[in-house]
Amino acid sequence: MALYNTPPASVTSIPFAKDTAEKPIQFGILGCAEIARKVSRSITLAPNATLFAVGSRSLEKAERFAAANGFPPSANIYGDYEAVLDDPGVDAVYMPLPTSLHLKWAVLAAEKKKHVLLEKPAALNVAELDHILAACESNGVQFMDGSMWLHHPRTAKIKELLSDPHRFGQLKSVQSIFTFLGDSDFLENDIRVKPDLDALGVLGDVGWYCIGAILFAAGYELPKSVTALPGTVFNEAGVLQTCRASLLWEDGKVATFTCSFQANLTMNVTAIGTKATFQVDDFVIPFREDAAAFSAGTECSFNDLATGWKKMPSKHVVTTDLPQEALLVREFSSLVADIKRNGSKPEQKWPTLSRKTQLVLDAVKTSIDRELQPIEVLKG
């Protein structure tokens, strides 16, 4: 039985052809973090990529990881990170390392002409990220962060709605939430709660998604200022566990976000325009790999007695043959192949989006550090 009497869902199917005409991009993985299992699978699923090497500080750990995650018998396995970067067969590297290590290893990878797929948050601050991006640009290598949801075809369909002034109108407000309840082991031992490994804590981990979703809805126009909101929670080591913030633009539109390791799993985004509202309940990780939905209400209103809605929001389902993480790898590998085979320049879209997200994240962190003062977002 349906909970609400909503219009039937529209379904959009996005097929992806298997392209085997060219040699796949050969990936090396630096580190054996849990997220690397998911990305290893996505490299296997992507039609233009292959697992080629893995490195860990422990050779035994790297061997176990390769055996458990579908690496071919021919894969090169190393007991340190730099050996992966020195492997002439590696075209690109995926780095699921703690954020505190991103600057060192991403710069070194770029200097060794390896294309860089870097786990988010991209850096501890925009100054570090600028060093990484400068190294990538000067060495002609592609940079991309690991924000998988941006590569789902649902995201492109939502962008169509947001960009249509006749259907959506002018953006007025955005709310994004990403929370999950960490267990005692996570809250005590995970790298995301350690000040020497991931000092940004929840803001860098899941706040990165919240900020990214807000900027996406705003067409990546940076806000004028951000203000952290009351309710910030730190652990005993001083690492953020829960935080909230508001963003304000010159034209008056506003946004808020909440991110937390201390609340039930929630991944919501709502964007409200003058003519329409869209909502997503699973924007970071879709409920299903092969389909993702969003709801859109256009020019909704009450009935005459205001006892119900005259026009209901509609549900839209976008199907895909590949999960979003494989689509990320597919897009990244396509850009790398274009550079390698055609001498193309690296695509600047992806580093630009990462940098804008980092700028807002930095401003939120500064507002928290300054006892919730409004902070102007740097545009440079």
Side-chain angles (χ1 to χ4, degrees):
M1 182 176 67
L3 185 60
Y4 299 107
N5 183 23
T6 57
S10 65
V11 179
T12 303
S13 180
I14 310 294
F16 294 97
K18 188 87 171 176
D19 180 10
T20 56
E22 299 283 356
K23 182 181 178 183
I25 296 303
Q26 298 181 156
F27 273 83
I29 296 181
L30 269 63
C32 302
E34 186 68 16
I35 187 65
R37 296 177 57 229
K38 183 175 184 177
V39 175
S40 293
R41 175 176 177 261
S42 72
I43 292 169
T44 301
L45 290 172
N48 55 350
T50 190
L51 294 167
F52 188 81
V54 61
S56 172
R57 291 173 297 175
S58 161
L59 179 59
E60 182 182 0
K61 186 175 182 180
E63 290 172 339
R64 289 199 306 268
F65 182 88
N69 289 285
F71 279 68
S74 59
N76 297 329
I77 303 172
Y78 300 107
D80 66 84
Y81 301 146
E82 193 160 359
V84 177
L85 303 182
D86 288 334
D87 189 325
V90 171
D91 300 312
V93 289
Y94 167 62
M95 295 188 183
L97 300 172
T99 312
S100 61
L101 300 179
H102 285 189
L103 176 60
K104 174 183 176 179
W105 290 104
V107 168
L108 186 58
E111 290 174 347
K112 291 178 180 287
K113 310 298 184 183
K114 308 301 184 185
H115 301 271
V116 178
L117 179 57
L118 187 62
E119 196 48 66
K120 32 61 52 191
L124 291 174
N125 53 60
V126 76
E128 287 195 1
L129 180 56
D130 282 346
H131 281 297
I132 294 170
L133 298 184
C136 289
E137 184 173 3
S138 64
N139 287 281
V141 299
Q142 184 65 50
F143 173 91
M144 185 183 286
D145 78 51
S147 298
M148 300 170 183
W149 70 278
L150 289 171
H151 301 267
H152 198 289
R154 171 177 64 180
T155 306
K157 296 300 292 185
I158 292 172
K159 184 178 180 180
E160 288 180 15
L161 171 63
L162 289 169
S163 303
D164 188 339
H166 302 293
R167 295 170 62 202
F168 187 75
Q170 181 182 3
L171 179 66
K172 289 296 184 180
S173 68
V174 188
Q175 296 83 42
S176 65
I177 303 171
F178 187 2
T179 63
F180 65 86
L181 187 62
D183 60 20
S184 59
D185 181 65
F186 174 92
L187 295 176
E188 292 175 10
N189 300 312
D190 195 271
I191 65 169
R192 289 167 282 185
V193 302
K194 302 293 186 182
D196 58 331
L197 298 176
D198 271 297
L200 295 171
V202 71
L203 177 60
D205 184 35
V206 298
W208 181 273
Y209 291 107
C210 294
I211 293 168
I214 290 170
L215 291 176
F216 167 79
Y220 287 95
E221 175 192 354
L222 287 171
K224 175 184 177 182
S225 64
V226 304
T227 306
L229 299 175
T232 299
V233 179
F234 297 88
N235 65 10
E236 292 181 356
V239 178
L240 284 163
Q241 305 292 279
T242 294
C243 69
R244 304 172 180 87
S246 64
L247 292 71
L248 175 66
W249 279 259
E250 292 278 2
D251 63 1
K253 63 178 171 281
V254 296
T256 60
F257 75 85
T258 297
C259 57
S260 180
F261 292 152
Q262 300 174 311
N264 186 57
L265 179 60
T266 304
M267 300 179 175
N268 291 352
V269 179
T270 301
I272 304 171
T274 51
K275 295 184 178 181
T277 300
F278 91 80
Q279 293 178 292
V280 181
D281 295 326
D282 57 349
F283 83 97
V284 179
I285 301 173
F287 296 138
R288 292 169 46 190
E289 276 198 335
D290 60 350
F294 66 96
S295 67
T298 303
E299 297 181 341
C300 296
S301 62
F302 298 125
N303 60 24
D304 289 342
L305 294 177
T307 58
W309 288 45
K310 185 162 42 177
K311 187 177 181 182
M312 297 288 291
S314 57
K315 183 179 181 181
H316 304 264
V317 179
V318 181
T319 63
T320 176
D321 292 342
L322 289 173
Q324 62 182 15
E325 57 270 22
L327 296 175
L328 178 152
V329 171
R330 185 175 187 261
E331 170 67 12
F332 179 76
S333 298
S334 177
L335 294 172
V336 172
D338 200 31
I339 294 167
K340 283 174 57 67
R341 294 161 191 159
N342 302 319
S344 299
K345 299 290 186 181
E347 171 60 63
Q348 291 304 304
K349 169 187 174 180
W350 299 108
T352 298
L353 301 191
S354 299
R355 190 175 191 275
K356 288 187 173 185
T357 306
Q358 189 83 50
L359 281 169
V360 176
L361 189 151
D362 283 11
V364 174
K365 180 65 165 58
T366 301
S367 181
I368 292 170
D369 293 342
R370 296 183 183 176
E371 300 182 339
L372 313 187
Q373 291 183 18
I375 301 297
E376 184 176 349
V377 178
L378 299 175
K379 301 297 193 292

